[in-house]
Amino acid sequence: MDEFTRERIARAMRQATRIVVLTGAGISTSAGIKDFRGKDGMYEIVRKRYNLPSPEAIFEINFFMRQPEPFYEMVRSMFAMEAEPTLSHRFLAWLEEQGKMSLLVTQNIDMLHHKAGSKAVLECHGTLRTASCLTCGRSFEFAEIRAAVLAGGIPRCECQGLIKPDIVFFGESLPAEFYTVHLSPPDADLLLLMGTSLNVQPAAGFALNLAATTESILVNRDPTPYDAMVTHVVNMDLDRFCQDIWEEMEKTPS
Ligand code: OAD
């Protein structure tokens, strides 16, 4: 990032008090969690290993009911490593502490924003924290099925029903609170889009609607099809970006 862009973005962030953020899988890759569509992402891995109709099938309910293994392989890899929040997660928690954040929407299910200390987090694709039996509806804490998953198994309920973590699959509704903010977005003076290919609706639509009326910054390693809709596009590593901006903001406090 050149000096001019760095100063301009740091100034916008210093002045902002109602930042809305959308994060995607790219914010967690430096913690060791794979993204989906990036180079060597999860979709490429499952496509090679399992003969899937499409890589997204791991998040399709009918496919999951027939073949839950690819989905659980992804969950297992996420849990086996006990990932820690990245510098970027910590930067967002710090922004909230500084009273600058209005809302943080994450598409991620890895819970790293909470682990970093962020509080106003809307997990729009659900979470791995809890799970439910697809047959009888019984609810589980993830801790209850963790051992079975880590041992390579597919967790089943006492009723023998398949257990699915409470994350949003394609075709399922997002949490009600997401539609509330989608219909009536919070008052924002800056929009930050971080580590997302903006490929998945309605999360991307929520952000791009807001970008039509709000100064916006997209930080992503690769270009996205929607770059032209954003005020500033920065194609670089997120941790590097956050470190640069954090240092710049601390140099000149608001
Ligand atoms: P994607 O995998 O589609 O996009 C992640 C983006 O992050 C890619 O464009 C990478 O270039 C970028 N990236 C990766 N590492 C980075 C780094 N260190 N610094 C900067 N950029 C980096 O992930 P999402 O947009 O989050 O759905 O995907 C959205 C949804 O698609 C996911 O929530 C998931 C999936 O189907 C569910 O889990 C239901």
Side-chain angles (χ1 to χ4, degrees):
M1 181 170 38
D2 62 56
E3 193 67 13
F4 178 69
T5 311
R6 176 186 155 122
E7 276 172 17
R8 212 164 124 182
I9 290 178
R11 191 178 331 118
M13 306 243 313
R14 264 198 306 273
Q15 288 168 353
T17 53
R18 298 182 308 279
I19 306 177
V20 171
V21 183
L22 175 72
T23 63
I27 197 172
S28 298
T29 52
S30 68
I33 297 175
K34 296 202 174 297
D35 66 4
F36 297 96
R37 298 173 187 82
K39 191 172 155 289
D40 304 325
M42 187 54 69
Y43 284 157
E44 186 57 18
I45 293 174
V46 293
R47 191 187 62 76
K48 278 189 189 147
R49 186 158 322 162
Y50 300 95
N51 189 19
L52 302 184
S54 76
E56 284 91 349
I58 61 169
F59 290 119
E60 279 164 14
I61 196 75
N62 290 334
F63 181 83
F64 175 74
M65 282 162 68
R66 285 196 312 275
Q67 202 182 334
E69 290 81 9
F71 170 79
Y72 270 111
E73 175 170 334
M74 180 202 75
V75 173
R76 192 172 305 122
S77 68
M78 225 177 241
F79 270 84
M81 68 180 65
E82 303 197 357
E84 289 300 320
T86 64
L87 185 140
S88 306
H89 289 103
R90 288 188 278 111
F91 175 61
L92 293 179
W94 176 77
L95 283 178
E96 186 177 1
E97 244 175 60
Q98 305 296 304
K100 291 187 163 293
M101 294 277 273
S102 175
L103 177 67
L104 166 51
V105 178
T106 186
Q107 301 167 88
N108 299 343
I109 55 175
D110 55 29
M111 300 175 284
L112 290 182
H113 286 299
H114 285 100
K115 212 167 175 183
S118 287
K119 300 209 167 48
V121 185
L122 198 169
E123 294 169 307
C124 73
H125 288 163
T127 163
L128 287 171
R129 209 170 284 117
T130 57
S132 306
C133 170
L134 290 180
T135 304
C136 72
R138 186 179 152 194
S139 192
F140 297 83
E141 290 293 317
F142 198 79
E144 295 176 70
I145 60 168
R146 184 189 166 94
V149 174
L150 285 180
I154 304 296
R156 292 203 171 261
C157 179
E158 274 170 16
C159 78
Q160 291 312 306
L162 189 56
I163 297 175
K164 169 185 163 289
D166 294 333
I167 69 166
V168 177
F169 275 28
F170 288 115
E172 291 185 319
S173 292
L174 277 63
E177 55 176 334
F178 173 79
Y179 293 104
T180 306
V181 299
H182 196 2
L183 283 174
S184 174
D187 189 22
D189 54 9
L190 189 64
L191 174 68
L192 202 46
L193 311 173
M194 303 171 89
T196 174
S197 64
L198 295 170
N199 260 297
V200 174
Q201 297 298 348
F206 158 74
L208 293 170
N209 280 350
L210 212 51
T213 54
T214 310
E215 181 175 8
S216 52
I217 304 165
L218 167 64
V219 190
N220 205 54
R221 199 160 52 199
D222 300 304
T224 81
Y226 305 101
D227 289 1
M229 297 174 74
V230 174
T231 324
H232 313 276
V233 177
V234 185
N235 292 129
M236 69 183 285
D237 175 70
L238 255 174
D239 285 346
R240 273 292 311 280
F241 170 86
C242 290
Q243 184 166 6
D244 283 0
I245 297 298
W246 202 343
E247 279 170 11
E248 191 70 36
M249 287 176 78
E250 288 199 313
K251 254 198 260 169
T252 324
S254 49

